[in-house]
Amino acid sequence: MRAAVNRIRSTAAVLACALLWLSGASCSSETEPDPIPKVREDHHSYSNPDQIRVTRVELDLDVSFERKSLEGSATLLLRRDGPGSELILDTRDLNIESVETAGPSGEFASTEYEVGDTDTILGAPLTITLSPEAERVRVNYSTSPGASGLQWLGPAQTAGKKHPFLFTQSQAIHARSWIPLQDSPGVRVTYAATIRTPKELFAVMSAEMEARQPSDAATRGEYRFQMPQPIPSYLIALAVGDIEFQAMSERTGVYAEPSVVERAAKEFEDTEDMMQAVEKLYGPYQWQRYDILVLPPSFPFGGMENPRLTFATPTILAGDKSLVSLVAHELAHSWSGNLVTNATWPDFWLNEGFTVYLENRIQEAVFGRERAEMEASLEVHELEAEFKDLKPRDQVLHVDLEGRDPDEGFTLVPYVKGMLLLHSLEKAVGRDRFDTFLRSYFDHFSFQSITTADFLNYLNRYLLSANPEVAEKVPVEDWLLKPGLPAHAALPSSSAFERVEALANRWYAGGVGLADIPAGQWTTQEWLRFLRTLPEKLEAGRMSELDKAFSLSESGNSEILHQWLLMSVRNGYAPAYPKVEEFLTSVGRRKFLKPLYTELAKTEEGKQRALAIYKKARPLYHPIAAATIDETLGAAPE
Ligand code: BES
Ligand code: ZN
């Protein structure tokens, strides 16, 4: 971390130098920043890519639902950048059967290897001895049933209830639980895979699918994939299940279980428009296809930007496209994150802050300014609420995660504070200039993994040095290294929300009845703002008045329902309790689970209910979500 701070300080010197130069003075000979970023120290990987670098991964895996295991091999292609004779890979709970290496002849032969001690956060290093001529390494292995990056679903957990389902979630450091590799976002690999599944199931990956042989019985259940662009390991993804495809445009489509696919294609039909909106702003889409896989409800996140194939929660299928900003977000990652990638997890804000900014620009282009303003404003309110619970050291953009699980950096800070930094820069330099800057940023760093310092160098050189007044208005270092928001942060505002807030306050004060509220015309965003403007404590009579007027306990919109259930728990509104239980046992999205369990656990009675519900629900949750709720409830897994 100290090194990072020093790097950031030295970039401030570059800026000072540029300012002096502009004013006609000379300055000391500051060295030029390196245009090709090297891999920086990653505290979340045991690997040694500076000496030996994996450049390609070839998977050959059988999917066994019976044993809840992926079984087969990973072949890694190596490039040597240093003198080392040991390759160190990341693993977690893998059963390693043997390791082989091959030189120029291509013949594989066994080699020595050692699995080191397991660290609870990092897993275990796999150290492989290499001869000087070794070019490839093949690890024969199988995954454990509890692998943190895999979720094995029984038929009951799917929409169709007939077939099992498997999906991976590799970000941040879970790829190592299903592939032995250099699990650092600073290492980019191309990949290929052969996946064998039970015959009735279908496999998809974050890659190009090689055409299957035309309904050849012998090849059913065997799928081949290629990812020709170099990507970080956290973007390698696989799903297997009863999956169908429906096209939306030439290059976009939806994969989902048969009963969901049509609804999803309708909900996401604006995806092509979204793509064109980003392309116009920031340059061509680089990944050929953009498809969306809708997962069963236990998917622990809202979405995951696996390249070519976003993974998404079904909870955004609201029926009215009101929650598709999530698609805008994951699509935006095709530029911010997948094309230009955070080199280490403290740089995570480069992925997410840029993406929330782009997401908002997409929403504006496709659905208009008012919707974009409302969505940004909701996000800022949520950030402000979260600041209250965060230690100062977690309120900075460049978070110190040494010795910590990178998951601890998964707060709204990298997302929304990151977005606000870009929004503030945009306001200060003007939109056109900022768009030009961002476009060149994506172009310059495409297919590279970069650090916060790299960004800062680039910003100083190509934006701030020519606009010194901007550097004064937007104190970038304060944004990166100080808690909270800088005094002059440009915050989004929404006039629609001002009206909704006024109404919420008037209703609460008794100045207006619910019948006089134009709720019939409200968007999901206005609903959320309305409910969140009301005081935390609402009397039982007020709660049931709201429920009677608007059937909130029956809402089919997951965001509105979640907000309402949160208020119900907070205010002991018993009529909604059955819904709380139903929600917690049918949805596995961590963003919904954590606040509800936290709110329940605030009273003794609520805590008992939470534990009873959790006992039933835990087996349905993804290991990542279960780990979070274990912590929330202080409940040891049984
Ligand atoms: N890449 C993230 C999800 C992620 C981050 C998974 C870190 C594991 C570790 C994805 O793009 C994301 O941000 N998803 C959000 C939705 C988005 C609309 C804010 C989510 O899942 O809530
Ligand atoms: Zn994201």
Side-chain angles (χ1 to χ4, degrees):
M1 176 64 189
R2 184 140 309 240
V5 174
N6 286 338
R7 275 202 299 275
I8 289 163
R9 294 236 165 86
S10 77
T11 59
V14 175
L15 172 61
C17 174
L19 293 178
L20 273 172
W21 181 81
L22 278 173
S23 65
S26 67
C27 64
S28 64
S29 62
E30 183 67 44
T31 49
E32 292 275 295
D34 189 347
I36 303 161
K38 300 200 174 62
V39 171
R40 311 311 208 276
E41 196 180 359
D42 179 353
H43 296 295
H44 297 104
S45 171
Y46 287 110
S47 66
N48 57 340
D50 286 339
Q51 285 156 16
I52 303 174
R53 181 171 289 252
V54 175
T55 59
R56 181 172 173 80
V57 174
E58 293 172 354
L59 299 172
D60 189 308
L61 296 170
D62 287 358
V63 180
S64 168
F65 282 94
E66 245 163 59
R67 289 183 292 279
K68 295 192 175 167
S69 179
L70 300 176
E71 301 164 347
S73 66
T75 304
L76 312 178
L77 269 63
L78 309 177
R79 187 184 88 204
R80 285 163 198 262
D81 291 337
S85 61
E86 278 183 340
L87 170 68
I88 307 173
L89 302 177
D90 294 295
T91 72
R92 192 206 309 275
D93 300 329
L94 296 181
N95 311 304
I96 311 285
E97 272 148 37
S98 62
V99 181
E100 302 160 284
T101 63
S105 75
E107 286 282 303
F108 278 97
S110 306
T111 187
E112 299 275 308
Y113 68 93
E114 191 190 328
V115 180
D117 291 342
T118 297
D119 175 274
T120 42
I121 297 171
L122 301 180
L126 165 62
T127 303
I128 299 166
T129 309
L130 294 181
S131 63
E133 61 277 2
E135 290 173 349
R136 289 163 185 255
V137 164
R138 183 157 72 202
V139 182
N140 299 298
Y141 71 102
S142 61
T143 63
S144 296
S148 61
L150 302 177
Q151 192 178 12
W152 299 89
L153 302 178
Q157 286 170 276
T158 66
K161 315 275 179 225
K162 276 209 221 85
H163 299 282
F165 202 103
L166 160 71
F167 65 88
T168 65
Q169 167 57 45
S170 297
Q171 197 178 13
I173 54 171
H174 301 287
R176 64 190 67 178
S177 76
W178 66 285
I179 309 172
L181 41 51
Q182 295 183 320
D183 197 10
S184 167
V187 177
R188 307 184 80 95
V189 294
T190 60
Y191 81 85
T194 299
I195 305 290
R196 274 171 292 273
T197 70
K199 291 233 184 304
E200 64 282 9
L201 301 184
F202 195 80
V204 289
M205 289 194 88
S206 55
E208 189 180 351
M209 194 185 317
E210 278 181 16
R212 284 186 302 154
Q213 302 305 313
S215 66
D216 178 351
T219 59
R220 247 197 304 149
E222 182 169 311
Y223 301 86
R224 289 173 200 277
F225 302 90
Q226 280 288 347
M227 171 43 87
Q229 289 101 332
I231 57 165
S233 54
Y234 74 86
L235 293 177
I236 306 181
L238 165 71
V240 178
D242 183 13
I243 296 170
E244 270 183 8
F245 176 74
Q246 186 166 324
M248 297 190 292
S249 71
E250 276 277 295
R251 57 176 178 170
T252 69
V254 167
Y255 288 97
E257 287 190 71
S259 66
V260 178
V261 72
E262 203 175 318
R263 204 152 42 98
K266 187 90 196 95
E267 195 87 21
F268 303 147
E269 69 187 1
D270 298 313
T271 305
E272 175 65 40
D273 287 352
M274 290 181 174
M275 285 180 86
Q276 290 179 17
V278 210
E279 289 189 305
K280 212 166 128 198
L281 288 169
Y282 309 120
Y285 181 74
Q286 303 266 16
W287 310 88
Q288 286 83 47
R289 291 200 57 84
Y290 180 76
D291 296 318
I292 301 166
L293 170 68
V294 181
L295 288 134
S298 68
F299 184 59
F301 295 107
M304 178 64 214
E305 67 272 26
N306 298 315
R308 288 168 180 261
L309 185 63
T310 280
F311 282 22
T313 169
T315 62
I316 55 169
L317 299 174
D320 60 1
K321 304 181 182 176
S322 64
L323 303 178
V324 296
S325 62
L326 185 131
V327 172
H329 179 98
E330 305 312 335
L331 170 66
H333 272 306
S334 308
W335 286 259
S336 45
N338 299 3
L339 207 52
V340 182
T341 307
N342 52 211
T344 71
W345 295 114
D347 306 308
F348 182 56
W349 79 275
L350 289 177
N351 277 15
E352 299 300 343
F354 276 66
T355 296
V356 174
Y357 176 82
L358 263 61
E359 164 197 335
N360 211 249
R361 295 294 302 274
I362 296 173
Q363 290 297 94
E364 181 178 328
V366 178
F367 298 105
R369 189 159 191 141
E370 188 159 58
R371 166 116 170 229
E373 283 172 350
M374 287 194 273
E375 292 183 331
S377 168
L378 282 174
E379 289 163 349
V380 172
H381 277 105
E382 287 179 277
L383 172 68
E384 280 165 349
E386 192 169 30
F387 272 147
K388 299 200 182 98
D389 300 328
L390 286 177
K391 296 196 186 85
R393 70 165 185 167
D394 290 328
Q395 298 182 12
V396 301
L397 282 179
H398 190 270
V399 185
D400 182 2
L401 291 171
E402 195 170 346
R404 304 166 77 190
D405 190 321
D407 223 21
E408 290 187 37
F410 187 87
T411 70
L412 288 172
V413 174
Y415 285 79
V416 183
K417 185 175 173 182
M419 175 272 280
L420 288 173
L421 165 56
L422 299 195
H423 184 71
S424 297
L425 286 167
E426 180 211 299
K427 287 276 174 256
V429 296
R431 193 171 255 200
D432 286 349
R433 232 195 265 175
F434 194 60
D435 284 350
T436 308
F437 167 77
L438 276 187
R439 194 181 171 119
S440 68
Y441 165 85
F442 289 126
D443 190 44
H444 183 83
F445 290 115
S446 64
F447 295 107
Q448 293 183 44
S449 301
I450 68 168
T451 62
T452 299
D454 296 324
F455 160 73
L456 208 47
N457 276 329
Y458 193 82
L459 180 76
N460 285 332
R461 272 183 99 178
Y462 295 104
L463 197 70
L464 301 188
S465 60
N467 303 278
E469 75 292 351
V470 173
E472 237 164 74
K473 270 198 235 160
V474 187
V476 182
E477 285 194 50
D478 290 356
W479 279 90
L480 293 172
L481 301 171
K482 290 193 184 161
L485 291 179
H488 300 293
L491 301 180
S493 67
S494 153
S495 45
F497 275 5
E498 282 166 21
R499 291 191 291 276
V500 168
E501 285 162 10
L503 275 172
N505 291 327
R506 275 180 63 201
W507 172 69
Y508 185 71
V512 62
L514 289 179
D516 301 320
I517 287 184
Q521 293 140 41
W522 277 352
T523 60
T524 296
Q525 288 70 34
E526 284 165 300
W527 266 113
L528 292 173
R529 190 68 216 123
F530 175 77
L531 295 174
R532 289 173 190 170
T533 302
L534 296 172
E536 297 232 316
K537 287 277 165 225
L538 280 181
E539 304 76 26
R542 285 311 189 75
M543 289 293 292
S544 73
E545 198 189 331
L546 282 169
D547 205 7
K548 288 216 176 77
F550 305 123
S551 309
L552 290 162
S553 297
E554 303 306 316
S555 175
N557 183 295
S558 62
E559 291 282 351
I560 295 174
L561 180 62
H562 176 250
Q563 178 60 37
W564 175 248
L565 296 180
L566 210 51
M567 293 166 64
S568 299
V569 172
R570 194 179 291 145
N571 291 294
Y573 178 62
Y577 287 2
K579 270 282 165 185
V580 173
E581 175 157 357
E582 188 189 319
F583 191 82
L584 290 173
T585 48
S586 59
V587 172
R589 187 173 172 188
R590 193 172 62 166
K591 167 185 133 169
F592 288 153
L593 302 182
K594 191 175 173 202
L596 274 173
Y597 279 112
T598 304
E599 202 57 59
L600 278 166
K602 284 184 182 165
T603 66
E604 197 37 51
E605 179 262 326
K607 175 116 192 225
Q608 292 317 313
R609 273 197 304 130
L611 287 169
I613 296 171
Y614 189 45
K615 200 168 170 202
K616 273 192 263 174
R618 193 177 187 279
L620 309 173
Y621 295 162
H622 188 285
I624 295 175
T628 302
I629 307 306
D630 286 350
E631 212 173 283
T632 307
L633 296 180
E638 285 178 17

